[in-house]
């Protein structure tokens, strides 16, 4: 006796299939947006981006020059990078820091951490920095997913990944080549390491975050201080102090005055209209 035809799977299976297809489309769209608004924009802005100032400032520090001096920034501008017209004009009228925010008052330990990349020629350092910021995004997302206990192949993990890929601040940070990408990744990885009782790694990662962007790393340091996990903030603080001592020693050895320029840059950057 012939059995009536029944389609394979029930409504629940069809619903899951539709959800998976929609999620796949969402991932593809978010990934395409991420690439177009992040790495592609960074490649098109190679002549002037957020990384070129800390790159030049680090090279100035390595040579024993004042990393906060506008004159040194323009003088040491990479010969293999485009030289924007506004540099000389705004250096002459004293508005470079006010209008462009460069040189920026990065903490001295940031130059020590950045020195391996800054020792490379700009045409090599620039794509290398793009790779580092992309890796920072991966580290940030992977660390947060692990801390949140999102299973690798669960549907909610792919939803989280799609939303992370579509998050505009990531795009802007990548497009600009901002150091904040690395600071955020170091902070997220520190939380992941602390959750697994890897306190030495957590302290070193927090030291990197505080050295690059104190406003990013310090809240995490204070969090572990309040939680009574003294080893992490103690190691982080000690490492930052050591990096600071190395940076100051380099400028002291070359008898370079830098404090006045640092205070001036801070004053201008926080002034009204900056």
């Amino acid at each position: 006796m012939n059995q009536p035809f029944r389609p394979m799977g029930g409504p629940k299976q069809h619903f899951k299939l539709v959800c998976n297809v929609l999620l796949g489309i969402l991932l593809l769209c978010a990934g395409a947006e991420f690439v177009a608004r992040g790495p592609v924009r960074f490649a098109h802005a190679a002549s002037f981006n957020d990384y070129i100032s800390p790159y030049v400032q680090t090279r100035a520090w390595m040579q024993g020059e004042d990393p906060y001096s506008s004159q040194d920034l323009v003088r040491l501008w990479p010969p293999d990078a485009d030289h924007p017209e506004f540099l000389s004009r705004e250096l002459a009228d004293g508005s470079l820091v006010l209008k462009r925010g460069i040189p920026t008052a990065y903490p001295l330990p940031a130059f020590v951490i950045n020195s391996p990349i800054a020792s490379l020629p700009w045409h090599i350092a620039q794509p290398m920095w793009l790779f580092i910021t992309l890796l920072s995004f991966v580290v940030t997302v992977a660390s947060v997913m692990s801390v949140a206990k999102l299973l690798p192949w669960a549907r909610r993990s792919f939803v989280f990944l799609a939303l992370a890929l579509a998050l505009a601040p990531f795009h802007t940070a990548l497009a600009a080549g901002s150091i904040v990408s690395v600071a955020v990744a170091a902070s997220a990885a520190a939380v992941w390491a602390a959750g697994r009782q890897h306190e030495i790694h957590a302290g070193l990662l927090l030291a990197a975050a505080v050295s690059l962007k104190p406003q990013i790393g310090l809240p995490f340091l204070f969090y572990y201080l309040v939680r009574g996990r003294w080893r992490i903030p103690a190691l982080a603080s000690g490492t930052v102090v050591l990096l600071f001592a190395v940076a100051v020693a380099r400028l002291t050895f070359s008898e370079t005055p830098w404090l006045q320029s640092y205070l001036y840059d801070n004053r201008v950057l926080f002034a009204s209209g900056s």
Side-chain angles (χ1 to χ4, degrees), residues 43-259:
H44 289 164
S47 59
F48 185 73
N49 54 49
D50 281 3
Y51 182 63
I52 196 165
S53 179
Y55 170 85
V56 178
Q57 290 178 250
T58 302
R59 290 177 72 88
W61 170 80
M62 293 168 64
Q63 297 175 30
E65 306 281 355
D66 182 0
Y68 305 112
S69 165
S70 299
Q71 290 82 4
D72 289 344
L73 178 79
V74 175
R75 179 170 57 84
L76 296 174
W77 198 263
D80 51 346
D82 290 345
H83 196 285
E85 294 181 1
F86 64 78
L87 280 177
S88 300
R89 181 179 67 252
E90 293 175 7
L91 173 64
D93 63 21
S95 65
L96 187 60
V97 180
L98 180 67
K99 291 183 178 179
R100 309 293 171 175
I102 59 172
T104 302
Y106 289 102
L108 282 174
F111 303 137
V112 183
I113 294 177
N114 192 41
S115 57
I117 306 300
S119 63
L120 301 171
W122 174 247
H123 67 275
I124 298 176
Q126 192 241 352
M128 180 70 73
W129 186 250
L130 175 60
F131 172 78
I132 290 173
T133 53
L134 286 170
L135 182 61
S136 297
F137 171 80
V138 173
V139 169
T140 300
V141 172
S143 298
V144 173
M145 289 178 68
S146 179
V147 170
K149 295 181 171 56
L150 293 176
L151 299 176
W153 298 107
R155 186 180 288 115
R156 68 173 60 186
S157 300
F158 288 106
V159 172
F160 178 86
L161 177 59
L163 294 174
L165 286 168
L167 195 62
F170 277 130
H171 306 161
T172 302
L174 285 166
S178 175
I179 277 181
V180 73
S181 300
V182 181
V184 168
S187 299
V191 174
W192 175 87
R196 281 154 182 75
Q197 307 303 315
H198 302 316
E199 296 193 337
I200 294 178
H201 294 115
L204 294 175
L205 286 164
L206 274 186
V210 172
S211 297
L212 293 171
K213 280 284 184 178
Q215 59 268 45
I216 298 294
L218 283 176
F220 292 94
L221 189 149
F222 290 140
Y223 169 77
Y224 290 111
L225 191 64
V226 171
R227 289 293 301 271
R229 300 186 64 176
W230 307 101
R231 192 177 183 185
I232 295 175
L235 179 60
S237 301
T239 304
V240 172
V241 170
L242 178 61
L243 293 172
F244 181 81
V246 171
V248 171
R250 176 67 186 98
L251 296 177
T252 302
F253 179 77
S254 59
E255 299 182 351
T256 301
W258 59 272
L259 185 58

